[in-house]
Amino acid sequence: MKHLAPQKNYLLILLTMLALFCLSVTSANSSAADIKPPKGLLILKPEPAPDFKLADTDGKFTTLSASRNKWVFVHFWASWCGPCRKELPAIQKLIEKMKGTSLKIIMINTAETEDMIFNFFGKLGLDMPTLMDSDGQVTEQWKPRGLPVTILVDPAGNKRYMALGGRPWDSKAYLEFLHKLLKSKP
Amino acid sequence: MKNWLPVLLACLGLGVCVQLGAKELSVKHKIKYDKGRISVKNKYFSLQMIPRTPDQMEAFYYARGFPPNMLKEIRELCLITTGLKNLSQDIIWLEVADWQFSADGKPVKRFHRKTLLDRWKTMKIPLRFQSTFRWTLIPEKLDYRPDEREGGNIVLPRTGKPITVNAVFHLGKNKTAGTIKIKIDNVVCAKDNDQPGKGKK
C-alpha cells in the first residue's frame, strides 16, 4: 500500500478541519426551525404574540415588547389548576438553571389576587416573580389551549412553541432544547 | 381495456376509503364506576368524569372570591369535571357539541360556555370571576395531541335522574382516521348528602 505524500496529508487534515469548522458554525447558528423540540412541545405557525402590560405582585409593570430580541418563556398559571401545582416547582428550577442566559421568563397568573398568589406560593415553597392578569383578559387574548400553558416567543416577537399541559422544564431534554434555541437564528 | 380496470377499481376503492374515512372504530373500553366517579380507558385515550356536589363547587369558587349571586346560580347546576388524556400517537378530537346527554330517554341540554358567560355578563359579574369560571370549563372543541391531557367541567341542568352520555371522538388531523363512540350510563349529578358508594353504580 502506497503512503500518501506529506503534502497530501496536510491537505487532508486541512480539509477535515475546515469541514469540522463549517459544521460547528452551522450547528451553533442553526435556525430555530431546525431544532427538534422535546415531546410535549407543539410547533406553532409563527404569528405575532399579543403585547401586554401587566404589574407583578410588587406593582412593577412589565411589557412583552420590552423583551424584543430575546427568546421569551411566557407561562400562564392559576392556583386552582392541579397540573399548574405540579409544574411550578420545575419552573422554579428552570429559573435558577437559566440564570445568566438571555432567556426571559415571564410568569402570568390568570385572574387571581395578590393574596391568593402569596398564600399559594407560601404553601408550595415557591419564590418567583409573577405578573397578575387580574381580570383574565390577557389570558383570553393569548387563547391558550388550557391552563397551565407555556408559549415560547422568538426574538422577533412571534409565538413559536406551545407546551401541552405541564412539562418537566428542568429536565435535560428541555434545558438542552432551550439552550439550543438561545444559540439559534430565529 | 383490461389495463384500465384495475386502475378504475383502485380509484373507486380510494374514493370509498376517503368517504368512509371517519368510519366507526371497533374499540374495547374498560368502564369503571367508583363512588360516582367514572373512568373509561381504551387504547386511544383515558376519560374521567367526576360529578361534583354543590358544596364542593361552592367551596371551590368561594375560595376564589366569587360573589354570592354567582355561587347561588352555580349551586343549581350539575357540574361534572371531565378530563381526557390522549394515549395514542394520533390526534383525537373532542367536540362536546357532538355529545348527547339524556335522562329517562329525554334529551338533557348541556350548557354551552357562551350561554353561561352571557349569563355572567348579564349579572355584571366582574371579569376576573368570569375568566376563572371560563377556564374551569371543558374546551368546547380541542384537538388533543399525543400525550396531551386537558379537561374541565361539563355543565348540565341539575337532575335527580341518571344521565346517559353518548360521547363521540374523531381521530386524525382531518378527523378522517376513524370515530370512537362510547355510551356511558348512570352519570349522576352529585348531591351534598350523597354517601360515597351508595345509590350509584
Side-chain angles (χ1 to χ4, degrees):
Chain A
M1 194 174 163
K2 254 184 169 182
H3 287 286
L4 290 170
Q7 280 163 330
K8 279 189 180 171
N9 267 342
Y10 284 128
L11 191 66
L12 201 64
I13 291 166
L14 195 70
L15 283 172
T16 310
M17 284 174 74
L18 194 69
L20 283 172
F21 175 74
C22 288
L23 198 70
S24 68
V25 166
T26 317
S27 66
N29 297 315
S30 58
S31 158
D34 299 333
I35 301 169
K36 196 183 169 204
K39 191 181 165 189
L41 278 192
L42 186 65
I43 300 172
L44 303 175
K45 192 179 159 192
E47 61 172 62
D51 198 8
F52 52 74
K53 187 181 181 185
L54 293 172
D56 65 13
T57 46
D58 295 326
K60 188 185 161 199
F61 281 91
T62 298
T63 62
L64 176 70
S65 49
S67 297
R68 191 57 64 89
N69 299 323
K70 284 182 179 179
W71 277 95
V72 190
F73 177 105
V74 183
H75 181 84
F76 291 89
W77 68 278
S79 69
W80 50 262
C81 108
C84 300
R85 280 196 291 273
K86 277 189 188 168
E87 188 182 22
L88 284 168
I91 295 179
Q92 174 89 64
K93 286 181 191 160
L94 174 78
I95 292 171
E96 287 155 18
K97 289 182 177 177
M98 296 305 284
K99 252 182 200 165
T101 71
S102 59
L103 182 70
K104 174 79 178 172
I105 297 177
I106 297 180
M107 307 292 292
I108 301 177
N109 171 272
T110 298
E112 292 183 296
T113 62
E114 190 191 332
D115 285 345
M116 285 174 184
I117 296 168
F118 184 82
N119 292 340
F120 176 73
F121 277 3
K123 275 182 202 162
L124 265 72
L126 298 171
D127 182 18
M128 59 175 82
T130 187
L131 302 180
M132 296 188 301
D133 179 18
S134 302
D135 59 9
Q137 297 310 291
V138 169
T139 315
E140 299 288 339
Q141 209 184 356
W142 276 62
K143 295 183 180 66
R145 294 167 74 83
L147 292 178
V149 72
T150 302
I151 295 161
L152 294 171
V153 177
D154 71 18
N158 293 311
K159 295 181 190 176
R160 295 294 292 273
Y161 300 92
M162 184 189 283
L164 302 168
R167 291 288 142 194
W169 290 104
D170 57 334
S171 68
K172 196 180 165 207
Y174 280 80
L175 288 168
E176 277 180 5
F177 168 71
L178 289 173
H179 280 292
K180 278 183 192 168
L181 269 192
L182 297 184
K183 286 182 191 163
S184 70
K185 292 176 190 166
Chain B
M1 188 68 184
K2 270 187 181 175
N3 282 346
W4 286 103
L5 197 62
V7 176
L8 192 69
L9 285 172
C11 288
L12 261 172
L14 190 69
V16 169
C17 284
V18 169
Q19 285 295 312
L20 298 177
K23 68 173 180 183
E24 188 176 344
L25 301 174
S26 173
V27 180
K28 275 191 177 176
H29 313 287
K30 274 186 191 168
I31 304 184
K32 279 187 188 169
Y33 292 83
D34 179 24
K35 296 170 188 170
R37 295 172 174 229
I38 298 161
S39 61
V40 180
K41 195 169 181 183
N42 57 46
K43 68 175 184 176
Y44 295 96
F45 58 80
S46 63
L47 174 77
Q48 268 201 325
M49 299 182 84
I50 307 172
R52 304 292 188 188
T53 68
D55 278 356
Q56 282 175 332
M57 292 325 297
E58 183 176 1
F60 178 87
Y61 291 118
Y62 174 80
R64 268 125 207 120
F66 278 35
N69 56 344
M70 196 178 181
L71 292 174
K72 187 172 175 280
E73 296 234 351
I74 291 170
R75 280 192 70 90
E76 287 161 16
L77 302 169
C78 174
L79 280 86
I80 301 166
T81 305
T82 306
L84 181 86
K85 182 173 184 190
N86 185 353
L87 305 174
S88 77
Q89 291 306 306
D90 208 342
I91 289 174
I92 295 178
W93 287 87
L94 168 88
E95 283 183 73
V96 198
D98 289 347
W99 293 23
Q100 288 177 347
F101 302 84
S102 61
D104 260 358
K106 290 174 190 164
V108 172
K109 199 180 171 199
R110 181 183 66 92
F111 286 99
H112 190 283
R113 64 172 48 208
K114 192 178 177 306
T115 310
L116 293 162
L117 294 179
D118 284 348
R119 175 72 186 139
W120 307 141
K121 276 180 199 162
T122 310
M123 289 167 66
K124 295 188 168 49
I125 299 294
L127 286 174
R128 177 156 77 88
F129 306 125
Q130 290 186 37
S131 177
T132 296
F133 187 82
R134 175 207 186 294
W135 286 109
T136 56
L137 296 177
I138 197 163
E140 285 292 325
K141 181 178 176 178
L142 193 69
D143 54 336
Y144 283 68
R145 307 297 169 119
D147 199 38
E148 186 171 11
R149 180 202 296 267
E150 295 288 351
N153 292 318
I154 285 177
V155 186
L156 302 172
R158 185 158 279 282
T159 170
K161 294 170 187 167
I163 298 165
T164 297
V165 181
N166 283 293
V168 184
F169 303 88
H170 299 292
L171 268 67
K173 192 180 173 188
N174 301 313
K175 306 180 192 175
T176 51
T179 297
I180 297 171
K181 292 182 180 174
I182 310 171
K183 186 182 177 194
I184 307 165
D185 289 317
N186 279 314
V187 180
V188 179
C189 295
K191 291 180 289 209
D192 287 332
N193 55 0
D194 274 349
Q195 294 296 310
K198 282 189 181 174
K200 291 178 189 176
K201 189 174 172 181

